[in-house]
């Protein structure tokens, strides 16, 4: 297994274990959630983002809310 795949598998495993722990014992998560809510610029709901695009003819429109990777075909 290459290092990138190994790291991804490890972080996925940690994420799953952390989620299971927080579901089983949600109390300890209250403090970090409160801190994140204070530091978040949009509060707990986050900012509202709206995207609009118009294409005609052979034009292409690509919009993404985060990272997007694509190749031409």
């Amino acid at each position: 297994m290459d290092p990138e795949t190994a790291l991804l598998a490890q972080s996925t495993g940690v994420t799953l274990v952390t989620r299971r722990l927080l579901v089983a014992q949600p109390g300890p998560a209250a403090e970090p959630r409160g801190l994140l809510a204070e530091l978040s610029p949009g509060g707990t709901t986050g900012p509202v983002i709206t995207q609009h695009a118009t294409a005609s003819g052979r034009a292409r429109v690509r919009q993404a809310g985060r990272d997007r990777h694509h190749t031409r075909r």
Side-chain angles (χ1 to χ4, degrees), residues 14 29 31 38 56 59:
V14 170
E31 186 177 338
E38 285 180 34
S56 62

Side-chain angles (χ1 to χ4, degrees), residues 5-72:
T5 303
L7 183 61
L8 180 60
Q10 181 181 2
S11 66
T12 301
V14 170
T15 300
L16 291 174
V17 170
T18 304
R19 285 183 185 200
R20 288 183 190 136
L21 177 63
L22 291 175
V23 167
Q25 297 185 10
E31 186 177 338
R33 282 189 184 130
L35 179 61
L36 290 172
E38 285 180 34
L39 297 175
S40 176
T44 57
T45 60
V48 175
I49 298 172
T50 304
Q51 295 180 325
H52 299 278
T54 304
S56 62
R58 295 180 53 126
R60 294 181 180 160
V61 175
R62 295 184 176 104
Q63 294 181 308
R66 269 203 68 190
D67 300 338
R68 180 177 170 137
H69 304 279
H70 57 86
T71 57
R72 285 191 173 200

